[in-house]
């Protein structure tokens, strides 16, 4: 029989002849009898058990929901040398963070004052020896970090975007790290690791410029104020000490800083070293006449020979090293540079109407042929701007002399 010849068989519907007076009590063979107007056996007990099961289920769900949202303030992982701080979730009221021993927070439930109803308890048998990446990611409360004597590794991304962080202090007995006026360095001071995001507030208080509005936000002096130039020198200018050879990853990210002085001798500016500093207008280099050990600026004469842009001897410019710094207007690449990472100067040029502003050209010491043969460059290392319907990279002035 072909498929076309097959007939579809439809089962005949079943009709139950149920008397009208039995419609609510009629029992179909093989099925339980209806319970209309009849009590269930042990109905009260079953109802109570059901209610208890529901209560337990809801309670367990709430417990795990709260545990998911309210993580431990401190989270650690054990390493071969001690413990690593992997995550710090601020209670909202911790402004000073000690990184030395495994810590927990204990609350006084009878104290309603959220600023004082807790204490931090340290287990001094468990030393913290490292700080993991993004351990304090985007914290908005911690102002001071104290690094203990036993910490031997701090990930470059450990304190990323800690908006309120003003100072990093290091135990003087730590053999790996030190600080200079609240800025983190390697012990031998050859690498500057982290200038805290809100270090300018620390400097403003130190030098007597700190004033606050009714909401607690600091009021910065205006350019027309009589003491503004000195304020820029004291608070918005940073001198990298002459011992430094490496500017670390994310070292100056989001800094409130207008001018920086980089010493000859710096050979590496790591990835995101000067990332997104909206006020950064002046990048100077200096050839020191004597050791420069402090980051506070006094005069250019005290630094020795000062010149524009990046230092002679620099070899490596990391990816996004100077990205999003539109206040900059001059870049000079010395002959010593052999590597420029992707997007190293991204978004440092912009259009104001039809006029280009910011870094409109990059000056390079090498000739074009020598530059292309010698310098390794990443994608989009030059900034781009809108040009008709396209994006156009700014020009490179090869074989240029440094601006006086």
């Amino acid at each position: 029989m072909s498929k076309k010849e097959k007939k579809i068989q439809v089962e005949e519907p079943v009709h139950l002849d149920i008397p009208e007076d039995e419609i609510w009590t009629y029992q179909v063979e093989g099925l339980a009898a209806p319970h209309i107007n009849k009590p269930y056996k042990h109905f009260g007990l079953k109802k109570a058990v059901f209610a208890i099961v529901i209560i337990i289920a809801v309670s367990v769900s709430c417990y795990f929901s709260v545990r998911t949202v309210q993580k431990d303030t401190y989270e650690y992982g054990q390493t071969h040398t001690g413990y690593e701080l992997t995550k710090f979730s601020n209670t909202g009221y911790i402004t000073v963070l000690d990184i030395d021993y495994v810590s927990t927070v204990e609350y006084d439930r009878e104290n309603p004052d959220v600023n004082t109803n807790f204490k931090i308890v340290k287990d001094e048998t468990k030393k913290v020896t490292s700080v993991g990446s993004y351990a304090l990611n985007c914290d908005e409360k911690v102002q001071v970090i104290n690094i203990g004597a036993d910490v031997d590794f701090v990930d470059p991304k450990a304190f990323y975007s800690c908006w309120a962080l003003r100072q990093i202090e290091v135990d003087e007995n730590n053999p790996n790290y030190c600080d200079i006026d609240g800025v983190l360095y390697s012990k031998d001071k050859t690498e500057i690791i982290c200038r805290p995001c809100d270090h300018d507030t620390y400097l403003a208080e130190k030098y007597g410029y700190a004033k606050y509005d009714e909401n607690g936000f600091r009021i910065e002096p205006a350019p027309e104020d009589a003491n503004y130039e000195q304020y820029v020198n004291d608070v918005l200018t940073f001198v990298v000490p002459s011992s430094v050879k490496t500017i670390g990853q994310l070292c100056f990210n989001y800094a409130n800083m207008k001018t920086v002085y980089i010493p000859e001798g710096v050979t590496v500016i790591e990835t995101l070293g000067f990332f997104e500093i909206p006020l950064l207008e002046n990048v100077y280099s200096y050839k020191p006449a004597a050791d420069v050990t402090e980051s506070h600026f006094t005069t250019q004469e005290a630094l020795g020979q000062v010149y524009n842009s990046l230092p002679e001897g620099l070899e490596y410019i990391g990816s996004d090293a100077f990205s999003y710094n539109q206040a900059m207007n001059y870049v000079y690449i010395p002959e010593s540079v052999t590597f420029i990472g992707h997007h190293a100067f991204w978004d440092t040029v912009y259009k104001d109407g039809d006029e280009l502003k910011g870094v409109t050209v990059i000056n390079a010491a090498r000739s074009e042929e020598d530059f292309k043969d010698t310098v390794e460059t990443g994608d989009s290392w030059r900034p781009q701007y809108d040009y008709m319907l396209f994006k156009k990279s700014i020009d490179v002035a090869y074989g240029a002399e440094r601006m006086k």
Side-chain angles (χ1 to χ4, degrees), residues 25 46 63 69 75 87 114 127 139 171 187 217 227 231 235 286 294 308 317 324 367 396:
T25 60
K46 292 180 179 179
Y63 171 77
V69 175
E75 296 179 35
K87 183 68 176 175
V114 293
K127 296 178 180 179
D139 183 272
D171 189 297
K187 188 67 172 184
F217 295 106
N227 64 346
Y231 169 76
V235 178
Y286 71 96
E294 300 294 331
N308 278 296
I317 302 172
Y324 301 103
S367 67
V396 178

Side-chain angles (χ1 to χ4, degrees), residues 127-143:
K127 296 178 180 179
V128 176
T129 56
S130 60
V131 188
S133 60
Y134 305 111
L136 272 76
N137 188 28
C138 295
D139 183 272
E140 297 181 350
K141 295 296 182 181
V142 171
Q143 298 177 8

Side-chain angles (χ1 to χ4, degrees), residues 161-292:
S161 299
C162 292
W163 307 114
L165 185 59
R166 303 175 183 182
Q167 299 167 256
I168 300 174
E169 305 288 342
V170 182
D171 189 297
E172 62 181 9
N173 295 315
N174 188 304
N176 308 289
Y177 298 99
C178 71
D179 73 274
I180 301 176
D181 202 22
V183 176
L184 183 62
Y185 294 79
S186 61
K187 188 67 172 184
D188 60 5
K189 301 174 185 175
T190 59
E191 181 178 0
I192 178 170
I193 298 169
C194 180
R195 178 196 186 273
C197 284
D198 200 29
H199 189 62
D200 55 294
T201 294
Y202 161 75
L203 295 174
E205 292 184 347
K206 178 177 179 177
Y207 294 107
Y209 298 99
K211 296 180 181 179
Y212 299 88
D213 62 18
E214 63 275 8
N215 297 315
F217 295 106
R218 184 165 65 84
I219 303 171
E220 291 195 54
E224 58 270 17
D225 292 350
N227 64 346
Y228 182 73
E229 184 176 345
Q230 189 60 44
Y231 169 76
V232 170
N233 289 341
D234 290 338
V235 178
L236 302 183
T237 301
F238 191 90
V239 178
V240 178
S242 59
S243 60
V244 170
K245 308 298 182 186
T246 299
I247 293 174
Q249 183 179 351
L250 288 162
C251 177
F252 290 94
N253 72 106
Y254 306 119
N256 190 24
M257 184 172 68
K258 189 170 184 178
T259 302
V260 64
Y261 290 87
I262 304 172
E264 280 193 4
V266 166
T267 59
V268 175
I269 298 175
E270 289 283 12
T271 298
L272 299 157
F274 291 91
F275 179 76
E276 196 164 344
I277 308 176
L279 286 183
L280 185 60
E281 181 178 343
N282 306 306
V283 176
Y284 295 124
S285 296
Y286 71 96
K287 185 176 183 178
D291 289 344
V292 176

Side-chain angles (χ1 to χ4, degrees), residues 31-50:
L31 300 180
H35 273 268
I36 304 299
N37 295 323
K38 296 180 181 180
Y40 282 95
K41 188 176 182 181
H42 306 305
F43 174 74
L45 177 60
K46 292 180 179 179
K47 185 176 180 181
V49 171
F50 177 76

Side-chain angles (χ1 to χ4, degrees), residues 16-28 33-37:
L16 296 177
D17 187 14
I18 304 174
E20 187 174 340
D21 58 347
E22 297 181 20
I23 192 68
W24 299 111
T25 60
Y26 185 85
Q27 183 174 1
V28 178
H35 273 268
I36 304 299
N37 295 323

